[in-house]
Amino acid sequence: MTVKWLMHFQPNQGTTLTSQVMAEACAVAESFPGVSRDGRWRSSMTFYRAVPRDQSLPAPSDLPRDLIGISLHDLPNEYLFVMRSQRLILRAHSSVQTVMDKLQSYKGRFFINFEGLQYKWGDFKLRIGKCLYNPNEALRGIVMEVEYLPLSSIDKSQRVMEEFYEIWREAVASKLLAGQFINTEVNFVEYGLGDSYTPQHTAVLYGMCVVQVIASSNKNQ
Amino acid sequence: MECVVQGIIETLHVEALEILLVGLCGAPKQRIRVHELCLKSGPNLVSSEVRLLCDLAKTTPSWTIRHVGGAMRGAGADQLSVLVRPIAESKASSTALRFFYGIGYKLDHEVLKTGFAFQFQNRGANLTVSVTSTNRMPRLHATDDAVPITPGIHLVEITAPAAPENYTEVASAIASFCEYLSPLLHLSKPGISTGIVPTAASAAASLMSSGGGIKIL
């Protein structure tokens, strides 16, 4: 699997995030020479909560409160779980969701979809998307996933990704968007992940990014 | 959903059973070496049970998460000679055990199942016939030191995937296949023991001397 970075849009202080930002970000991507639109993309995330044996009581504190499940757009037959507090990832076939349903010990409490437009630009794939609460589709954030197709090594791709990031930041600033895109920084080693990029890396990125998106959204409301 | 029957056979007749199954199947056996961990939810969580299966037969161990539901009940189910039950399974990464510990499950018991299996097609159903010894471990996860729980006895199981619209046909396919094995063992619903078949010794001797000259299914 080739390397990805994941960024989220941080609105300027005092401004509110709107769908207009999504349109403006797409316009920035479409202004790059040689870029082509490459369809749509959609990933989804479920936030799980433990179901206590005695449901009249709150969930015990020794059970994780940060269990999330992720279905990635480019791996429709797989499902990943991330527990940030324990730096733990489980990668499984998508049928694991059926197993979790049967166990009934954890239930999805709320859901977020990431969906938007995909672009091809030379050796890069750019995916700009809205972060939407499900089912009321309230906009919580804008994210951009950047994939560098030639490389699977995180170390080897660091420089070219940084260069892209600078190009993107300058382009966004020049179009006067009311904010900036912030890259999601993760210490993959803490999760037992190596230099060779995998879906587990993507799952961790989304797990970290969504925390920042929600925090930013709550701050600006 | 799956249909399942089980039976037991003395270990000294397993070789004869293998000869019979080779003759019926016409394909080589698959080795079984599965570390099965049964986990139960902790006291704070809704009560549930899940099994983790680590396949040690291959060079790189692979993990499966498996949930076994309760047996189908009712008049229709009672009339079947096989047990029908819902099954949910998923291949998973090697972090499966840590994951379930992390979400509040505890290890209830673990066993190592060793043996072999054959795959058959009978009346449109995909049957798996497995012949295994169930072994316990003297220390946590010590699969290399496992010893048989019932020395001298092997478990034979026939399973077949099924769906709500075809489980009766799958059950018939299993029941008819059991007839081929009847000289050596009787198979029935799990939990209903039929013991060792009286003709097993003579049938085994016949198979061993004939080298399995059985018409292929």
Side-chain angles (χ1 to χ4, degrees), chain B:
Chain B
M1 184 178 266
E2 69 174 10
C3 296
V4 58
V5 290
Q6 286 179 350
I8 54 172
I9 189 169
E10 289 184 85
T11 300
L12 58 98
H13 298 318
V14 164
E15 193 179 346
L17 176 59
E18 184 178 341
I19 290 171
L20 174 59
L21 291 171
V22 167
L24 290 170
C25 180
K29 67 183 178 187
Q30 296 158 359
R31 186 168 157 251
I32 291 177
R33 187 174 172 81
V34 174
H35 183 187
E36 186 172 310
L37 301 100
C38 180
L39 306 178
K40 292 189 176 172
S41 52
N44 293 330
L45 268 178
V46 159
S47 178
S48 64
E49 185 177 307
V50 68
R51 288 165 195 269
L52 301 187
L53 310 177
C54 182
D55 185 350
L56 300 172
K58 301 184 181 71
T59 318
T60 306
S62 64
W63 289 82
T64 302
I65 302 169
R66 184 173 160 96
H67 178 266
V68 180
M72 182 184 283
R73 295 179 192 279
D78 290 344
Q79 286 171 8
L80 295 175
S81 59
V82 311
L83 187 136
V84 184
R85 61 192 180 190
I87 290 287
E89 271 190 351
S90 170
K91 290 287 182 199
S93 58
S94 58
T95 51
L97 183 59
R98 276 184 59 212
F99 172 79
F100 277 98
Y101 282 160
I103 62 171
Y105 281 74
K106 318 274 183 214
L107 180 66
D108 184 73
H109 64 273
E110 57 177 346
V111 295
L112 178 72
K113 292 190 173 175
T114 56
F116 55 86
F118 288 87
Q119 306 287 337
F120 295 88
Q121 276 267 334
N122 190 30
R123 297 187 183 182
N126 296 318
L127 311 189
T128 300
V129 180
S130 61
V131 183
T132 56
S133 166
T134 303
N135 306 271
R136 61 173 179 83
M137 281 152 270
R139 291 175 314 282
L140 188 67
H141 307 330
T143 53
D144 288 342
D145 298 330
V147 294
I149 293 174
T150 51
I153 294 287
H154 269 61
L155 176 72
V156 181
E157 197 171 63
I158 302 181
T159 57
E165 57 270 14
N166 76 346
Y167 68 86
T168 51
E169 286 82 21
V170 174
S172 293
I174 292 180
S176 78
F177 187 86
C178 288
E179 296 297 316
Y180 293 105
L181 308 185
S182 58
L184 278 174
L185 75 160
H186 283 168
L187 295 135
S188 59
K189 290 179 180 178
I192 300 176
S193 174
T194 55
I196 306 248
V197 168
T199 55
S202 58
S206 172
L207 279 160
M208 297 298 286
S209 63
S210 70
I214 305 289
K215 183 177 165 184
I216 290 178
L217 197 66

Side-chain angles (χ1 to χ4, degrees), chain A residues 50-55 60 62-64 67 81 83 86-93 95-96 98-100 102-106 200, chain B residues 41-50 65-67 86-96 98-105:
Chain A
V51 180
R53 197 169 293 209
D54 183 348
Q55 298 197 32
D62 60 334
L63 295 174
L67 176 64
F81 288 100
M83 258 189 288
Q86 301 188 36
R87 303 291 190 265
L88 185 54
I89 315 148
L90 177 70
R91 181 181 174 184
H93 187 269
S95 54
V96 75
T98 306
V99 176
M100 293 300 282
K102 298 285 185 194
L103 292 175
Q104 299 194 325
S105 50
Y106 284 78
Q200 285 93 318
Chain B
S41 52
N44 293 330
L45 268 178
V46 159
S47 178
S48 64
E49 185 177 307
V50 68
I65 302 169
R66 184 173 160 96
H67 178 266
I87 290 287
E89 271 190 351
S90 170
K91 290 287 182 199
S93 58
S94 58
T95 51
R98 276 184 59 212
F99 172 79
F100 277 98
Y101 282 160
I103 62 171
Y105 281 74

